[in-house]
Amino acid sequence: MKNAALENCRKKFDMTAADMAAMVREFQSEMERGLEGRDSSLKMIPTFVDCATGKEEGSYIALDLGGTNFRVLGVRLDGRGGISVEHVGKYVIPTAVMRGTGEQLFNFIAGSIKEFMTKNRISASDDRKLGFTFSFPVKQTAVAKGVLITWTKDFSASGVVGNDVVGLLSAALAGYGLEKIEIAALLNDTVGTLVAKSYEDPGCDVGVIFGTGTNACYRERIDRIRKLPGLDGKGHMIVNIEWGNFSKAPANEYDRMLDQVSGNPGQQLMEKKISGMYLGELTRLLISDLIADKSLFAGEKVNFSRGQFESQHMSLIEADDSADLSAVKLFLGGIGIPDATLEDRAVLKEACRIVSDRAAKISAAALSAVFTWMDPKLDGKHTAAIDGSVYEKHPGFRERVLAALKELHGEKAGKLALVSAKDGSGVGAAVVAAVAASA
Ligand code: BGC
């Protein structure tokens, strides 16, 4: 009975090699449409910046906004591929500010920068260049200019969508007496991740975040960005794919349920299948069905309500390799289910595994689409710099992505390297500001 129920779940979340290959084709056709400026779930946003040479130097202020934590960093580049973070300030954005007005949000940011500078004795009367990592879909028109297209990840501050975020931040900085700060670059966290890594490793050509949200960027030939008129067509530019919004990955009833009650129905459909903000809830929906059909907790009514199960709990459960699944028992005890049997605990672990397995396969298919878009036969070597909590903390996630890439590309998968790029979104802001300054 339990095995049959789990088998049924497996089928719903199944992603075969043929499904992955079909997704790669769909993904590339959306990439092409996006680059041409046609309707597409992939926005393919030109960023007006290329990778670093490693020779950029100087001191910069870096801002990193993309989740509930906002960070300010003082970063020094030595001009020889070396980066040192001299100061770090972390600020928690109150929910009321995330969902209040844009003015409140940008004042909170400017106020935090002021505090950071005072604390670290950085004078406000000297000229300073700042790089601003803003991890939301932004339509850029220059390296330091861009309009927010839509909020994601539960942000909803009013008066920001449709406006230039650099203008909003400059105005707030002026209000705090910080006019000497020049915002030299606005960038996505994927771009920061790629550019920061490229500062030390010039072979890196893709930047990815598998975290609260998900997205990727890559180095594109300028002549292939057809929607950008007026460029001479030579060289490369990084394109922010905004892949979280890809709408053609296989979906099942649980995906549809989660989407319907989300804050942005119909949007970020791939993100809702693979990122930290949603994986827990997706698994909770599956678990609730297993409880309802008595395959879990003997069908006893347990209070397993929305938001109570998070992706970090999946990580904890899947990491439990003890014979009696003691960590799972402890977790269940903590949420008021102390009497779960060992079989229950095993079913729960398997349910998590089913959801995270599919996430890894969708992630691999998206990565494969990007690599083979740049190099269809994988003649050369490619490196993706990757950051984010799912990639860093979910047990076996990286290995499962690599295994799926092998399934898709056989021996040639050996040419694809996935390297960890911790904190790229922070230091990357400084490197992109330096690249922009030296352009
Ligand atoms: C945003 C992207 C961002 C990603 C990872 C998504 O929700 O739309 O701009 O890169 O999250 O932070």
Side-chain angles (χ1 to χ4, degrees):
M1 159 91 166
K2 288 183 187 172
N3 282 340
L6 279 175
E7 200 42 48
N8 193 19
C9 298
R10 256 182 229 113
K11 272 201 202 106
K12 291 179 185 167
F13 282 85
D14 195 22
M15 183 115 183
T16 62
D19 295 332
M20 287 194 279
M23 182 182 138
V24 170
R25 286 192 295 276
E26 296 267 25
F27 197 98
Q28 290 187 335
S29 116
E30 292 285 275
M31 285 177 84
E32 187 166 17
R33 293 174 66 88
L35 286 172
E36 285 171 353
R38 289 153 71 203
D39 237 17
S40 168
S41 62
L42 296 179
K43 297 187 181 73
M44 307 299 288
I45 303 169
T47 62
F48 302 89
V49 77
D50 192 8
C51 285
T53 61
K55 297 203 177 90
E56 297 80 2
E57 56 186 328
S59 286
Y60 297 85
I61 293 180
L63 304 187
D64 184 12
L65 175 73
T68 42
N69 288 324
F70 164 66
R71 294 184 313 150
V72 189
L73 292 84
V75 180
R76 178 177 287 281
L77 311 178
D78 70 7
R80 293 184 306 279
I83 301 175
S84 45
V85 177
E86 296 178 331
H87 312 285
V88 186
K90 280 191 191 156
Y91 306 86
V92 179
I93 306 178
T95 312
V97 172
M98 279 165 70
R99 303 191 189 147
T101 67
E103 211 182 327
Q104 284 168 331
L105 178 63
F106 284 93
N107 278 337
F108 178 86
I109 295 174
S112 308
I113 299 172
K114 176 108 189 175
E115 191 193 301
F116 169 86
M117 291 176 71
T118 311
K119 186 169 162 218
N120 296 300
R121 299 201 180 83
I122 302 171
S123 159
S125 46
D126 297 343
D127 289 331
R128 305 245 157 228
K129 283 198 181 353
L130 176 150
F132 181 19
T133 300
F134 183 72
S135 307
F136 301 95
V138 163
K139 183 173 187 322
Q140 276 192 264
T141 44
V143 69
K145 205 174 177 54
V147 162
L148 176 65
I149 303 170
T150 176
W151 282 120
T152 56
K153 297 176 284 198
D154 263 3
F155 272 69
S156 61
S158 61
V160 187
V161 171
N163 286 307
D164 173 25
V165 287
V166 173
L168 294 172
L169 178 58
S170 297
L173 287 174
Y176 278 81
L178 300 174
E179 304 76 355
K180 288 276 194 177
I181 296 182
E182 179 203 342
I183 306 169
L186 171 70
L187 57 140
N188 186 258
D189 49 356
T190 57
V191 178
T193 300
L194 167 55
V195 177
K197 200 70 184 176
S198 75
Y199 190 70
E200 52 187 54
D201 171 5
C204 192
D205 45 12
V206 179
V208 185
I209 302 287
F210 292 122
T212 308
T214 185
N215 187 18
C217 69
Y218 70 106
R219 271 190 101 203
E220 181 57 289
R221 273 177 18 214
I222 289 179
D223 63 338
R224 290 175 88 181
I225 313 177
R226 301 247 186 84
K227 64 183 169 189
L228 256 195
L231 290 179
D232 64 6
K234 289 196 202 83
H236 289 82
M237 184 188 284
I238 297 169
V239 169
N240 168 12
I241 303 173
E242 281 297 332
W243 80 13
N245 196 48
F246 179 61
S247 61
K248 298 186 173 166
N252 61 33
E253 68 212 64
Y254 301 107
D255 298 308
R256 286 185 280 274
M257 271 193 259
L258 181 139
D259 179 48
Q260 271 158 24
V261 297
S262 71
N264 52 355
Q267 289 177 37
Q268 300 295 101
L269 294 181
M270 186 168 105
E271 180 159 279
K272 287 170 183 161
K273 296 179 182 108
I274 66 179
S275 85
M277 175 140 191
Y278 304 101
L279 277 177
E281 178 60 13
L282 198 56
T283 310
R284 189 193 68 84
L285 292 170
L286 181 68
I287 294 169
S288 302
D289 260 9
L290 288 168
I291 298 175
D293 81 1
K294 301 196 172 18
S295 301
L296 197 54
F297 310 139
E300 232 174 88
K301 270 233 163 312
V302 291
N303 186 15
F304 222 31
S305 52
R306 187 163 174 236
Q308 231 198 341
F309 193 67
E310 297 174 16
S311 50
Q312 50 169 324
H313 300 139
M314 294 170 73
S315 302
L316 179 152
I317 290 169
E318 286 185 56
D320 186 356
D321 285 329
S322 65
D324 64 343
L325 297 175
S326 48
V328 180
K329 187 172 170 35
L330 209 63
F331 165 72
L332 287 171
I335 60 166
I337 314 173
D339 307 322
T341 62
L342 178 57
E343 194 183 13
D344 279 338
R345 308 199 290 268
V347 170
L348 185 66
K349 182 172 172 185
E350 185 55 19
C352 294
R353 178 90 203 196
I354 288 171
V355 177
S356 62
D357 250 348
R358 186 189 65 164
K361 286 181 176 156
I362 293 177
S363 304
L367 273 169
S368 159
V370 177
F371 284 130
T372 56
W373 173 263
M374 293 190 293
D375 179 1
K377 295 198 177 127
L378 296 182
D379 292 324
K381 287 189 173 165
H382 301 275
T383 300
I386 311 185
D387 197 3
S389 50
V390 172
Y391 182 77
E392 291 290 335
K393 299 201 178 126
H394 194 80
F397 184 80
R398 176 172 190 272
E399 291 68 24
R400 285 184 258 169
V401 172
L402 284 171
L405 283 172
K406 187 124 199 247
E407 236 185 292
L408 281 165
H409 299 292
E411 285 311 306
K412 286 211 162 171
K415 295 191 161 187
L416 308 175
L418 309 185
V419 299
S420 167
K422 275 203 83 50
D423 201 25
S425 60
V427 295
V431 185
V432 175
V435 170
S438 58

